[in-house]
Amino acid sequence: MTAVMGFCGICLLLVLGKIIRTFIPLLQRLYLPASVIGGLLGLILINTLGSGISSRWYSSWSALPGFLINIVFAALFIGVNTHGSKRLWKLVAPQVCFGQITAWGQYVVGFGLVLLVLGPLFGVPAVFGNRMEIGFEGGHGTVGGMTRAFEDFGFQEGAALGYTIATVGMIFGIVIGMIFINIGARRGYVCNVRTFEDQGDLEKKGVYPEHEQPEAGKQTSFPDSIDSLALHIALVGIAVLAGFFMKYGLVLLDAYMPESVRDSRVLQSFPLFPLCMIGGLILQALLKWTKSDIIADHGQMQRIGGASLDFLVVSAVATIRIDFVAEYWQPLVILCLVGMVWNIFVTVYIGPRMFKEAWFERSIAEFGQSMGVTATGLMLLRSVDPENKTIATSVFGYKQLFHEPFMGGGFWTSLAVPLAIAWGAGWMFLICLGVLLIWLGLWYFHFRIPAMTRAPSQCAPRGAPAAPAG
């Protein structure tokens, strides 16, 4: 009965979030997702009326993010057609470099703050330096997937602080991103920008007009054989199962590791969700090898992953522990503010010096992802390139194939938590700084665009002639 009430409660919050967004223009203008609004509503209700609400409604919510993130990551690459890795890499290499600079910089800034400010003044542990990349770059799902690792290492506050940073990042990522877009439109960096005033009433409310409703994906199997959606969910389940077996293998391998490795608990605490992503990649390769990849449609996989992410965000935001946030509010504010400054710097300085074509569109998509999740980046990108007239959307999408296995919930994100606890903030700062310098060197000596060769603005700014970008 508790599970049924918990599911119904999450559904109610998600629909209420959509209704509230529909009738409040300010929330529409801020482009806040219904999942965040519903989660904040749940957070308010639990913390103000908690004693008057049966715990059956929300007692199971805290376990949902850790489960749903496995589905999100398992569905990432099933049904994806890569078209050849060599051609892809040549196309997206600058985009990958930009994303890696942003993500590794978040670690450098995070651990640097712990060493110089947050540790001496507030006594935060070394693992606090991971919060920025996990919350900003990874988002609510990554935090949910790392919850068990936080608990294993005695950092009970980790999940609540991570969810808080992820929520702040998503909200401010959208707000700051829209400010950038308006500035870019005035300066002529983009011509096809679609402002809030340009949208119709239904679009402002987040509803497709009836004649413009896109397909949710292709049905790949006849219903009398197996329902297509059921088939795709089953494929996701197989990818999760493959990840589970890999996780079990790591646990068995840990028994044969040196004592120093066993003491660090790196293998035992490694989360499941990155392994589910690898399981999805293996499954897709197997389907392609057996010429059965026709049964997997990436559009349906995106819907399964997107639905899981919405339910994940609602449950994650609603179950934030306010007492933990109140205890760490000062270092949290400092970490978030400095992290935003870093993300803004990379966007406005390196972006126009990295990309030869569609620099603004590609930079704003990366900014959205670095502050929230991939969906935030795509939302901002859709605002500046609504008809996909540039290469930004395809390049940003393919870049995820190379970026997400490592950062924003990938292998390094997962390893960095036990390593920070075992080695401390000093060593982690030096390691991350070294990797960041490598990526910066690759940008400066290989991808950097000299000022005299940078592409001009795509259209003349309002009231002024066109000027060079950047």
Side-chain angles (χ1 to χ4, degrees), residues 77 80 279-291 293:
F77 299 125
V80 172
L281 285 168
I282 294 174
L283 178 60
Q284 175 62 20
L286 182 62
L287 290 174
K288 192 168 184 178
W289 179 62
T290 58
K291 302 187 185 303
D293 52 323

Side-chain angles (χ1 to χ4, degrees), residues 225-248:
S225 169
I226 182 175
D227 183 82
S228 183
L229 181 59
L231 174 62
H232 283 75
I233 293 175
L235 291 175
V236 172
I238 293 173
V240 173
L241 180 63
F244 174 80
F245 281 125
M246 283 185 273
K247 168 71 174 178
Y248 186 66

Side-chain angles (χ1 to χ4, degrees), residues 69-70 73-74 141-142 145-146 271-278 408-410 413-414:
I69 188 59
N70 299 320
F73 270 71
T142 300
M146 298 297 297
L272 177 61
F273 66 91
L275 302 177
C276 294
M277 175 179 60
I278 300 301
T413 302
S414 304

Side-chain angles (χ1 to χ4, degrees), residues 99-357:
Q100 292 289 311
I101 288 173
T102 304
W104 286 101
Q106 290 181 357
Y107 276 112
V108 171
V109 172
F111 285 116
L113 284 173
V114 169
L115 286 172
L116 300 177
V117 181
L118 305 183
L121 292 182
F122 305 104
V124 300
V127 74
F128 201 88
N130 298 67
R131 298 275 73 71
M132 186 185 299
E133 198 272 347
I134 292 176
F136 277 176
E137 185 83 16
H140 296 86
T142 300
V143 178
M146 298 297 297
T147 299
R148 179 64 181 271
F150 299 145
E151 295 173 350
D152 288 346
F153 289 105
F155 189 48
Q156 305 295 332
E157 305 92 336
L161 301 181
Y163 288 143
T164 302
I165 295 175
T167 303
V168 170
M170 181 178 290
I171 294 173
F172 279 90
I174 295 172
V175 173
I176 298 174
M178 294 309 298
I179 293 174
F180 280 163
I181 289 172
N182 282 282
I183 294 175
R186 287 197 296 269
R187 295 188 177 182
Y189 298 153
V190 286
C191 303
N192 301 313
V193 62
R194 189 169 177 79
T195 64
F196 185 76
E197 288 72 19
D198 295 331
Q199 300 175 10
D201 291 337
L202 285 178
E203 188 175 356
K204 291 178 180 178
K205 296 176 180 179
V207 178
Y208 284 108
E210 185 176 359
H211 61 285
E212 297 179 7
Q213 294 175 346
E215 299 292 334
K218 298 178 180 178
Q219 296 192 56
T220 60
S221 62
F222 283 99
D224 59 351
S225 169
I226 182 175
D227 183 82
S228 183
L229 181 59
L231 174 62
H232 283 75
I233 293 175
L235 291 175
V236 172
I238 293 173
V240 173
L241 180 63
F244 174 80
F245 281 125
M246 283 185 273
K247 168 71 174 178
Y248 186 66
L250 290 179
V251 174
L252 293 179
L253 182 63
D254 186 69
Y256 300 95
M257 289 290 105
E259 185 177 353
S260 59
V261 177
R262 294 199 304 271
D263 291 342
S264 68
R265 305 179 69 181
V266 171
L267 296 181
Q268 288 192 21
S269 63
F270 197 86
L272 177 61
F273 66 91
L275 302 177
C276 294
M277 175 179 60
I278 300 301
L281 285 168
I282 294 174
L283 178 60
Q284 175 62 20
L286 182 62
L287 290 174
K288 192 168 184 178
W289 179 62
T290 58
K291 302 187 185 303
S292 303
D293 52 323
I294 191 174
I295 69 171
D297 174 61
H298 189 56
Q300 287 212 35
M301 288 298 174
Q302 286 181 308
R303 301 286 69 76
I304 293 172
S308 300
L309 187 60
D310 274 337
F311 280 95
L312 185 157
V313 172
V314 172
S315 58
V317 176
T319 54
I320 291 175
R321 289 283 300 274
I322 299 297
D323 53 336
F324 289 157
V325 177
E327 181 181 354
Y328 287 91
W329 75 268
Q330 291 172 304
L332 271 178
V333 169
I334 295 173
L335 191 73
C336 289
L337 288 177
V338 178
M340 291 179 195
V341 171
W342 166 255
N343 293 335
I344 291 172
F345 167 77
V346 176
T347 302
V348 301
Y349 183 81
I350 295 183
R353 294 165 175 82
M354 173 76 79
F355 305 122
K356 293 182 180 180
E357 183 179 353

